[in-house]
Amino acid sequence: MPSVADDHQRLYHLCPRQAWEAAQSNGAFKASGPDPFIHLSTRDQVIESAALHLAGVADLLLLTIDADALGPALRWEASRGGALFPHLYADLPLDAVIATDPLPLGPDGRHVFPEGFAGSAAP
């Protein structure tokens, strides 16, 4: 898949590589954990989300998602500090994912986002 697209209608999901591989076998990416939805982020939110919730976790992928392909199952809800975050109350269709990029850990233990991604250092 191509690298990260720069478009205001894109959303992002941080995903363990194994979960993405399982989704490809199953035909859809499903919510996991206690929440009934898939946590998504905007470009401005995803780097902080990685640092807060997945610091030091290796072998992650950054999924770039076409928000327009998600339909009414996409809801914007208050979360961290009252900010609105996108939540998907359905399986994520694989064809809505327009890019997958690895998120290696840098020497400081923080994820290294793809080159050109806002607020990140180049790999």
Side-chain angles (χ1 to χ4, degrees):
M1 291 186 150
S3 335
V4 170
D6 186 16
D7 187 311
H8 70 282
Q9 296 179 16
R10 302 296 183 238
L11 297 174
Y12 302 90
H13 179 69
L14 302 164
C15 173
R17 183 180 304 274
Q18 285 184 325
W20 178 244
E21 290 170 356
Q24 291 176 312
S25 295
N26 299 331
F29 187 87
K30 300 180 180 297
S32 62
D35 295 325
F37 54 83
I38 297 172
H39 291 266
L40 304 175
S41 298
T42 65
R43 181 180 276 274
D44 292 338
Q45 296 166 334
V46 71
I47 294 173
E48 184 179 2
S49 291
L52 288 174
H53 303 293
L54 297 165
V57 176
D59 210 21
L60 290 181
L61 296 174
L62 175 69
L63 305 184
T64 302
I65 300 161
D66 178 3
D68 292 336
L70 301 180
L74 178 64
R75 300 181 197 161
W76 292 83
E77 299 175 315
S79 189
R80 189 169 58 231
L84 293 179
F85 277 75
H87 295 147
L88 181 61
Y89 284 85
D91 293 348
L92 173 61
L94 299 184
D95 60 359
V97 178
I98 59 171
T100 57
D101 289 285
L103 284 181
L105 292 174
D108 61 357
R110 294 175 65 94
H111 294 96
V112 179
F113 280 74
E115 186 172 347
F117 202 86
S120 67

Short mmCIF file of all heavy atoms in Angstrom, two decimals, residues 12 16 20-21 23 35 39-40 43 49 56-57 69-71 74 76 81 86 88 97 112-113 116:
data_model
loop_
_atom_site.label_atom_id
_atom_site.label_comp_id
_atom_site.label_asym_id
_atom_site.label_seq_id
_atom_site.Cartn_x
_atom_site.Cartn_y
_atom_site.Cartn_z
N TYR A 12 -6.95 7.76 11.47
CA TYR A 12 -5.83 6.85 11.73
C TYR A 12 -6.18 5.90 12.86
O TYR A 12 -6.92 6.24 13.78
CB TYR A 12 -4.58 7.66 12.08
CG TYR A 12 -4.22 8.61 10.97
CD1 TYR A 12 -4.73 9.91 10.93
CD2 TYR A 12 -3.44 8.19 9.90
CE1 TYR A 12 -4.45 10.76 9.88
CE2 TYR A 12 -3.15 9.03 8.84
CZ TYR A 12 -3.66 10.32 8.84
OH TYR A 12 -3.40 11.15 7.78
N PRO A 16 -1.66 -3.44 16.14
CA PRO A 16 -0.60 -4.46 16.14
C PRO A 16 -0.58 -5.17 14.78
O PRO A 16 -1.63 -5.45 14.20
CB PRO A 16 -1.02 -5.43 17.24
CG PRO A 16 -1.96 -4.65 18.11
CD PRO A 16 -2.65 -3.68 17.19
N TRP A 20 -3.71 -6.80 12.23
CA TRP A 20 -3.98 -6.42 10.84
C TRP A 20 -3.90 -7.65 9.93
O TRP A 20 -4.73 -7.83 9.04
CB TRP A 20 -3.01 -5.33 10.39
CG TRP A 20 -3.20 -4.94 8.96
CD1 TRP A 20 -2.33 -5.09 7.93
CD2 TRP A 20 -4.38 -4.36 8.38
NE1 TRP A 20 -2.87 -4.63 6.76
CE2 TRP A 20 -4.13 -4.18 7.01
CE3 TRP A 20 -5.61 -3.97 8.89
CZ2 TRP A 20 -5.07 -3.62 6.14
CZ3 TRP A 20 -6.54 -3.42 8.03
CH2 TRP A 20 -6.27 -3.24 6.67
N GLU A 21 -2.92 -8.51 10.16
CA GLU A 21 -2.81 -9.72 9.36
C GLU A 21 -4.04 -10.62 9.57
O GLU A 21 -4.56 -11.20 8.61
CB GLU A 21 -1.52 -10.45 9.70
CG GLU A 21 -0.29 -9.70 9.20
CD GLU A 21 1.03 -10.25 9.71
OE1 GLU A 21 1.03 -11.19 10.55
OE2 GLU A 21 2.07 -9.73 9.29
N ALA A 23 -7.03 -9.57 10.37
CA ALA A 23 -8.14 -8.89 9.69
C ALA A 23 -8.14 -9.20 8.20
O ALA A 23 -9.20 -9.41 7.60
CB ALA A 23 -8.06 -7.39 9.93
N ASP A 35 -14.25 -1.89 24.80
CA ASP A 35 -15.11 -0.91 24.14
C ASP A 35 -15.81 -1.53 22.93
O ASP A 35 -15.23 -2.35 22.23
CB ASP A 35 -14.29 0.30 23.69
CG ASP A 35 -13.72 1.08 24.85
OD1 ASP A 35 -14.40 1.17 25.89
OD2 ASP A 35 -12.59 1.60 24.73
N HIS A 39 -11.22 2.54 18.19
CA HIS A 39 -10.67 3.86 18.45
C HIS A 39 -9.93 4.36 17.21
O HIS A 39 -9.06 3.68 16.69
CB HIS A 39 -9.66 3.81 19.61
CG HIS A 39 -10.29 3.54 20.92
ND1 HIS A 39 -10.67 4.55 21.78
CD2 HIS A 39 -10.62 2.38 21.54
CE1 HIS A 39 -11.20 4.01 22.87
NE2 HIS A 39 -11.18 2.70 22.75
N LEU A 40 -10.29 5.55 16.76
CA LEU A 40 -9.61 6.20 15.66
C LEU A 40 -9.09 7.54 16.15
O LEU A 40 -9.46 8.01 17.23
CB LEU A 40 -10.57 6.40 14.48
CG LEU A 40 -11.25 5.14 13.94
CD1 LEU A 40 -12.26 5.51 12.86
CD2 LEU A 40 -10.24 4.15 13.42
N ARG A 43 -5.21 13.22 12.43
CA ARG A 43 -3.75 13.41 12.28
C ARG A 43 -3.20 14.14 13.50
O ARG A 43 -2.12 13.81 13.98
CB ARG A 43 -3.47 14.20 11.00
CG ARG A 43 -2.00 14.43 10.75
CD ARG A 43 -1.78 15.21 9.47
NE ARG A 43 -1.79 14.40 8.29
CZ ARG A 43 -0.72 13.77 7.80
NH1 ARG A 43 0.42 13.85 8.41
NH2 ARG A 43 -0.80 13.07 6.70
N SER A 49 -1.80 9.98 21.08
CA SER A 49 -2.44 8.72 21.46
C SER A 49 -1.42 7.59 21.53
O SER A 49 -1.46 6.77 22.46
CB SER A 49 -3.55 8.36 20.47
OG SER A 49 -4.62 9.26 20.60
N GLY A 56 6.29 2.28 23.90
CA GLY A 56 7.16 1.12 24.01
C GLY A 56 6.63 -0.14 23.35
O GLY A 56 7.31 -1.16 23.34
N VAL A 57 5.42 -0.10 22.78
CA VAL A 57 4.85 -1.28 22.13
C VAL A 57 5.43 -1.39 20.72
O VAL A 57 5.30 -0.48 19.91
CB VAL A 57 3.31 -1.21 22.06
CG1 VAL A 57 2.75 -2.40 21.30
CG2 VAL A 57 2.73 -1.14 23.46
N ALA A 69 -15.59 6.55 3.78
CA ALA A 69 -16.00 5.17 3.53
C ALA A 69 -16.63 4.51 4.76
O ALA A 69 -17.08 3.38 4.68
CB ALA A 69 -14.80 4.35 3.08
N LEU A 70 -16.69 5.22 5.89
CA LEU A 70 -17.15 4.60 7.13
C LEU A 70 -18.64 4.77 7.40
O LEU A 70 -19.21 4.02 8.20
CB LEU A 70 -16.34 5.14 8.31
CG LEU A 70 -14.83 4.91 8.20
CD1 LEU A 70 -14.12 5.49 9.40
CD2 LEU A 70 -14.50 3.45 8.00
N GLY A 71 -19.26 5.73 6.77
CA GLY A 71 -20.71 5.90 6.91
C GLY A 71 -21.15 6.30 8.30
O GLY A 71 -20.37 6.84 9.10
N LEU A 74 -19.53 5.87 12.05
CA LEU A 74 -18.49 6.76 12.58
C LEU A 74 -19.15 7.83 13.44
O LEU A 74 -20.03 8.56 12.97
CB LEU A 74 -17.71 7.41 11.44
CG LEU A 74 -16.64 8.41 11.85
CD1 LEU A 74 -15.53 7.72 12.64
CD2 LEU A 74 -16.07 9.10 10.62
N TRP A 76 -18.35 10.95 16.46
CA TRP A 76 -17.37 11.81 17.14
C TRP A 76 -17.84 11.99 18.58
O TRP A 76 -18.94 12.49 18.81
CB TRP A 76 -17.26 13.14 16.41
CG TRP A 76 -16.64 12.98 15.06
CD1 TRP A 76 -17.27 12.60 13.91
CD2 TRP A 76 -15.28 13.14 14.75
NE1 TRP A 76 -16.36 12.52 12.88
CE2 TRP A 76 -15.13 12.85 13.37
CE3 TRP A 76 -14.15 13.51 15.47
CZ2 TRP A 76 -13.90 12.92 12.72
CZ3 TRP A 76 -12.93 13.58 14.82
CH2 TRP A 76 -12.82 13.29 13.46
N GLY A 81 -9.62 15.12 27.69
CA GLY A 81 -9.73 16.57 27.86
C GLY A 81 -10.93 17.18 27.17
O GLY A 81 -10.94 18.36 26.89
N PRO A 86 -12.85 10.33 16.91
CA PRO A 86 -13.68 9.48 16.07
C PRO A 86 -13.69 8.04 16.59
O PRO A 86 -12.63 7.49 16.91
CB PRO A 86 -12.99 9.57 14.70
CG PRO A 86 -11.57 9.93 15.00
CD PRO A 86 -11.58 10.69 16.28
N LEU A 88 -15.49 4.18 15.65
CA LEU A 88 -16.22 3.43 14.64
C LEU A 88 -16.99 2.30 15.31
O LEU A 88 -16.39 1.37 15.86
CB LEU A 88 -15.26 2.87 13.59
CG LEU A 88 -15.91 2.08 12.45
CD1 LEU A 88 -16.87 2.96 11.65
CD2 LEU A 88 -14.85 1.46 11.55
N VAL A 97 -9.20 1.18 4.30
CA VAL A 97 -7.80 1.43 4.69
C VAL A 97 -7.01 1.71 3.43
O VAL A 97 -6.87 0.85 2.56
CB VAL A 97 -7.23 0.21 5.45
CG1 VAL A 97 -5.77 0.46 5.81
CG2 VAL A 97 -8.06 -0.06 6.70
N VAL A 112 8.18 6.09 15.77
CA VAL A 112 8.66 6.95 14.68
C VAL A 112 7.62 6.89 13.58
O VAL A 112 7.41 5.86 12.94
CB VAL A 112 10.04 6.48 14.16
CG1 VAL A 112 10.50 7.37 13.01
CG2 VAL A 112 11.06 6.47 15.29
N PHE A 113 6.95 8.02 13.37
CA PHE A 113 5.90 8.10 12.35
C PHE A 113 6.54 8.30 10.98
O PHE A 113 7.68 8.73 10.86
CB PHE A 113 4.93 9.24 12.71
CG PHE A 113 3.94 8.82 13.76
CD1 PHE A 113 4.31 8.69 15.09
CD2 PHE A 113 2.63 8.52 13.41
CE1 PHE A 113 3.40 8.28 16.06
CE2 PHE A 113 1.71 8.11 14.37
CZ PHE A 113 2.10 7.99 15.69
N GLY A 116 7.35 13.00 6.92
CA GLY A 116 6.37 13.97 6.48
C GLY A 116 5.11 14.00 7.33
O GLY A 116 4.27 14.87 7.12
#
